[in-house]
């Protein structure tokens, strides 16, 4: 992936009770508690086991996003609290070593 892009598996730990939820929703957040926008394809049915969202390689990280947030979700909306993970934009180095002595 390039700078400003993500891709890969997001694993969500289940809620202690899934009675009132139908899905989990994954959002980009500007902090561990402030959501910005849903990750493309960011809904996973609670029936999926394990609960994993496959984020497409090359998904752009919205400006100001620092976290991924996972919320419980049903047709009435998202839950009031979320689980959060910090985003760390990592890439393969692009600058080569300049010399080697043996």
């Amino acid at each position: 992936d390039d700078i400003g892009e993500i891709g890969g598996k997001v694993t969500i730990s289940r809620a202690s009770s899934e009675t009132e939820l139908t899905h989990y929703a994954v959002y980009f957040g500007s902090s561990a508690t402030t959501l910005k926008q849903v990750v493309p394809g960011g809904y996973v049915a609670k029936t999926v086991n394990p609960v994993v969202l496959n984020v497409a390689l090359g998904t752009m990280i919205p400006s100001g996003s620092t976290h991924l947030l996972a919320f419980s979700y049903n047709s009435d909306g998202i839950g009031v609290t979320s689980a959060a993970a910090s985003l760390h934009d990592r890439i393969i180095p692009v600058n080569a070593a300049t010399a080697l002595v043996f």
Side-chain angles (χ1 to χ4, degrees), residues 44-67:
V44 181
K46 73 177 185 180
T47 56
V48 173
N49 191 22
V51 183
V52 173
L53 173 67
N54 292 306
V55 179
L57 293 176
T59 297
M60 296 300 297
I61 300 170
S63 177
S65 295
T66 59
H67 290 75

Side-chain angles (χ1 to χ4, degrees), residues 2 5 12-13 22 36 44 61 75 89:
D2 294 325
E5 298 178 358
I12 302 164
S13 296
T22 59
K36 289 185 66 75
V44 181
I61 300 170
S75 60
D89 201 3

Side-chain angles (χ1 to χ4, degrees), residues 25-93:
V26 179
Y27 283 77
F28 288 106
S30 58
S31 74
T33 57
T34 306
L35 62 88
K36 289 185 66 75
Q37 69 186 57
V38 70
V39 171
Y43 296 92
V44 181
K46 73 177 185 180
T47 56
V48 173
N49 191 22
V51 183
V52 173
L53 173 67
N54 292 306
V55 179
L57 293 176
T59 297
M60 296 300 297
I61 300 170
S63 177
S65 295
T66 59
H67 290 75
L68 289 176
L69 310 175
F71 289 88
S72 298
Y73 173 86
N74 66 23
S75 60
D76 293 321
I78 61 171
V80 292
T81 59
S82 67
S86 297
L87 284 174
H88 300 283
D89 201 3
R90 301 180 342 191
I91 61 169
I92 295 173

